[in-house]
Amino acid sequence: MTTVHTHDALTARAETLDAQSPLHGTRDRFTLPDGVIYLDGNSLGALPSAVPAVVGDVVHRQWGERLIRSWNESDWWSAQTRVGDAIGRLVGAAPGQVVVTDSTSVNLFKAVVGAARLRPGRTVVLTDPDSFPTDLYMTDSAARLAGLEVRRVHPRDAVAAIAEAGEDLALASYSSVDYRTGELWDLVAITEAAHAVGALACWDLCHSAGVLDIRLDADGADLAIGCGYKYLNGGPGAPAFIYVAERHLADFDQPLTGWHGHARPFEMSGTYEPAPGITRARVGTPPLLSVLALEAALTAYDGLSPADVRAASLSVTGLFIEALDALGVDLPLATPRDDDHRGSQVSLRHPQAFAVVQALIARGVIGDFREPDIIRLGFAPLYVTHVDAVAAAEHVRAVIADREFERPEFTERGAVT
Amino acid sequence: MTTVHTHDALTARAETLDAQSPLHGTRDRFTLPDGVIYLDGNSLGALPSAVPAVVGDVVHRQWGERLIRSWNESDWWSAQTRVGDAIGRLVGAAPGQVVVTDSTSVNLFKAVVGAARLRPGRTVVLTDPDSFPTDLYMTDSAARLAGLEVRRVHPRDAVAAIAEAGEDLALASYSSVDYRTGELWDLVAITEAAHAVGALACWDLCHSAGVLDIRLDADGADLAIGCGYKYLNGGPGAPAFIYVAERHLADFDQPLTGWHGHARPFEMSGTYEPAPGITRARVGTPPLLSVLALEAALTAYDGLSPADVRAASLSVTGLFIEALDALGVDLPLATPRDDDHRGSQVSLRHPQAFAVVQALIARGVIGDFREPDIIRLGFAPLYVTHVDAVAAAEHVRAVIADREFERPEFTERGAVT
């Protein structure tokens, strides 16, 4: 009877919180399959309901009927900066500083080389050893070409390492949220420390844009990159974005000098001259089906402030943790309980984490596994409600308490991003 | 009466050629607006009829319903190499050497830096001063980072310049077709000359893939890049491709080391280890709406051999030139009349080329303008018929003979790609 009582109490509380949420009703802006609690929006965001009609229009009318004329008539030419500005509104960036282009990996390459050129003579780049691997690989590769030294220093030690590097430091490049644990780092402190020695800071917003109250301009970030297909819901492999603070734009000298970044691309000059402003971070012709799907997806944020989204995210993840406690699930949390140190996911540790994730998926609770022992559950507050959070906690309880994860069908390994 | 006679004779000949063409009926594989003769497939290919249903499925079912599970269940993970192999069939590349990824610009950056690393100690890169500008910009930027010297040498002088550079030469990087004039260059001779001094050759196939009988493997190309949105009809900004010959793959050390190029991406190792094979040329998560649209588009080539496509292309462009002659259009041809030196476009010169192009567009004949005086008309033989070619020639005659291009509405300039 205790479980029933706990269920009823948690569900009642969840319903109240949902009703009072500033995001009440935003789930209706998404198309989700029945019977699914989708906690993997930090890997691939759900389908916003506005997307299919826009993609259909892009294919049939813009491409099929208008053909090449759509560069002007459908304003394809400004799509990347237009969508960049829309993302800018979610990450505290005034217009003209964000562009949608390429992948996060490619944009980090531009950022690292570009930062080194903004700080000539400085050779050290600091980054997190626990970064998402592509950040490490791309930083290493940029360093190899640009003659830099990469120091991998944990974010909690970054301020000290910045002071130690001093005037050798060109760039401190950190993610605001650890992709595995969901721990939130103090990028403001890292940025201030970098500025104190004359260096720059680059923020990786892959796990922050669209769920945190990021304030790039106000907090003095120099550069930022992020992903379009996670909490921004742009669709599989949606193009990424890059932010360059206004004060650096005129001197931002990025290494992937494609014709879409040229000041006057149709003059077909043989000499590269970067476009004024953030347009210079563009490279080749962008994948417009994906760019315009992302634009449509961002309308799911219409009328929502980043502060409201962040509050809802903390409320949902907080209730999920509370429900785990109440239900007696005693798995170690990899994610901080403290609101000030938690992104928008809750990660649990379990020696058979892979099988636990498979068992949850079989129950319709879709999360993902990360090496070595992480059950990663992302909460996209636009479509994951408090009621979902309580139901997800009950599924976790059942999988663990009934040892469902030991069933053979859940132990076979496959590739899941 | 002469004009009527000429019209009838040309049209009859065109109808016969269409009926006999190995590509007879392939126009039905495309959705084109009524009243349009589309001669800009070298800028943005037309919409293949197979695409909309596939894109709808990707959006609704693969993304919307299967969500993250589509990486396995819809085999997103192998899409880039699967589509790469499909392109390989059109450019004479055996499976496992082509991958769809990024933009042409980004792929050229990988190719130039990768080539230099395959030929350490060599510092010279040769390229065409009349290349499409992005090739020049990216080559310059790669050279700046990798410590190379770029020599811009016209393709007709390339063999001599290769011999002169000798063992300093790392790479000869040339387009097979001049994007403005449509002139076809002898990349086989350039490749043989490069190999004779121990260097590599990279082929830019943007204006060749899907219309020429390219034989990368047979002709010994080392590297190649190309575009998915021109004659391959993958849609606006469709991802590009890169080819690395099998013999170079194990040592191909490209600079954009993203996690999708890693041997075991889900181990999340902090150390980059390139995947075996062409997968190492992948970088970040690819824009799957665009990748899978390109895959669907390529089915328009089902059952067609590159040799047949090339024959049809030459037949259509040849008839267009013949029709211009017969109709008394005496604009200078920028494109060689000789089949052996002509790509799949016919470019004409006119001092008011921009206005001529606008006047043609008003008549439903869509081509494009290229600085300074080029009327560029691309013939995609899968959907441009011999009858279209004759009709287009008659429109050109009318625009020139009646001086339609002098009308004020045709002289205003705007951006058209």
Side-chain angles (χ1 to χ4, degrees), chain A residues 136-409:
Chain A
L136 297 171
Y137 309 154
M138 296 301 287
T139 303
D140 282 350
S141 182
R144 176 181 170 193
L145 278 167
L148 305 171
E149 173 200 347
V150 180
R151 295 184 189 165
R152 295 186 180 181
V153 176
H154 195 278
R156 73 170 65 87
D157 303 319
V159 168
I162 288 168
E164 189 189 323
E167 294 191 356
D168 290 336
L169 186 69
L171 178 69
S173 181
Y174 282 87
S175 287
S176 73
V177 175
D178 185 291
Y179 76 101
R180 274 175 300 211
T181 66
E183 185 158 3
L184 180 63
W185 304 112
D186 186 356
L187 293 198
V188 178
I190 290 174
T191 300
E192 287 172 356
H195 290 176
V197 299
L200 305 178
C202 179
W203 298 18
D204 180 335
L205 302 179
C206 283
H207 290 268
S208 321
V211 283
L212 264 65
D213 188 11
I214 297 288
R215 301 175 185 194
L216 289 172
D217 288 346
D219 287 340
D222 300 289
L223 300 156
I225 56 165
C227 168
Y229 58 79
K230 297 182 190 286
Y231 294 116
L232 299 182
N233 310 303
F241 64 90
I242 180 168
Y243 161 92
V244 180
E246 169 66 29
R247 63 189 174 282
H248 298 305
L249 274 170
D251 297 316
F252 185 63
D253 178 12
Q254 64 94 353
L256 299 177
T257 50
W259 72 301
H260 277 245
H262 195 281
R264 292 172 303 282
F266 290 99
E267 284 189 8
M268 303 284 168
S269 157
T271 306
Y272 186 74
E273 180 188 330
I278 193 64
T279 298
R280 64 179 55 192
R282 304 197 309 189
V283 185
T285 308
L288 281 154
L289 272 57
S290 291
V291 172
L292 298 170
L294 173 57
E295 181 169 37
L298 292 170
T299 64
Y301 280 89
D302 282 356
L304 307 178
S305 75
D308 282 345
V309 173
R310 170 63 170 159
S313 160
L314 284 172
S315 179
V316 171
T317 52
L319 184 64
F320 176 69
I321 294 170
E322 183 185 324
L324 291 175
D325 291 342
L327 294 164
V329 179
D330 67 347
L331 299 186
L333 275 181
T335 307
R337 288 172 177 270
D338 174 2
D339 278 6
D340 290 342
H341 297 101
R342 190 169 74 241
S344 197
Q345 76 193 57
V346 178
S347 293
L348 306 167
R349 295 189 190 277
H350 189 283
Q352 287 178 262
F354 178 84
V356 172
V357 169
Q358 301 312 307
L360 285 169
I361 291 173
R363 287 173 160 272
V365 179
I366 302 179
D368 62 26
F369 162 72
R370 283 295 177 264
E371 293 281 1
D373 61 353
I374 297 273
I375 301 157
R376 191 175 74 154
L377 305 171
F379 292 79
L382 272 67
Y383 55 79
V384 179
T385 62
H386 294 83
V387 167
D388 290 333
V390 167
E394 291 180 322
H395 284 293
V396 172
R397 190 208 62 77
V399 165
I400 301 299
D402 304 344
R403 303 190 75 79
E404 280 180 17
F405 58 87
E406 291 181 343
R407 291 188 198 159
E409 67 265 34

